[in-house]
Amino acid sequence: MRERVLLGLFTNVTNPKGIVFMVAVLPQFIDPARALWLQLLILLATTVATDVIVMHGYAFLASRAQLAATARARRAQNRVFGGVLMAMGLSLFMVKRAGGG
């Protein structure tokens, strides 16, 4: 258990996407006129609570779904999710960027 927690901590601390999110989003919720430590504590508690709820929800749904029970089901799942990812990539490619032309 301890090894899993440490691995998860190391993974999150060294995750550049998580760091960029925290640096880009969280400062918007900081009021310079108030105590910084209390604001950071509230943001920490909110982030941890949300993450625990979401991750437990994913784990629960994954344990109930059992989509990859057979080779045929795995192949269908890969095709569906691969198609979704390709569609999302294509839609991002087609979006006209503001100011860029």
Side-chain angles (χ1 to χ4, degrees):
M1 174 74 173
R2 182 175 179 228
E3 293 171 0
R4 289 182 183 178
V5 170
L6 290 175
L7 178 62
L9 177 66
F10 178 74
T11 302
N12 283 319
V13 168
T14 59
N15 180 1
K17 290 183 290 185
I19 294 169
V20 168
F21 173 79
M22 294 297 177
V23 170
V25 173
L26 292 185
Q28 299 175 47
F29 300 102
I30 301 292
D31 182 0
R34 298 182 183 249
L36 180 61
W37 70 271
L38 181 58
Q39 294 178 75
L40 291 176
L41 186 64
I42 292 169
L43 288 171
L44 172 70
T46 304
T47 302
V48 169
T50 302
D51 199 34
V52 165
I53 291 168
V54 168
M55 293 304 157
H56 278 83
Y58 286 153
F60 175 76
L61 291 174
S63 71
R64 295 288 182 239
Q66 296 184 7
L67 292 174
T70 65
R72 182 176 177 192
R74 280 192 301 273
R75 192 168 40 254
Q77 179 184 0
N78 286 339
R79 288 180 179 161
V80 168
F81 290 120
V84 168
L85 290 173
M86 290 190 315
M88 291 173 64
L90 181 62
S91 68
L92 286 173
F93 179 73
M94 301 301 280
V95 170
K96 183 176 181 180
R97 295 185 182 171

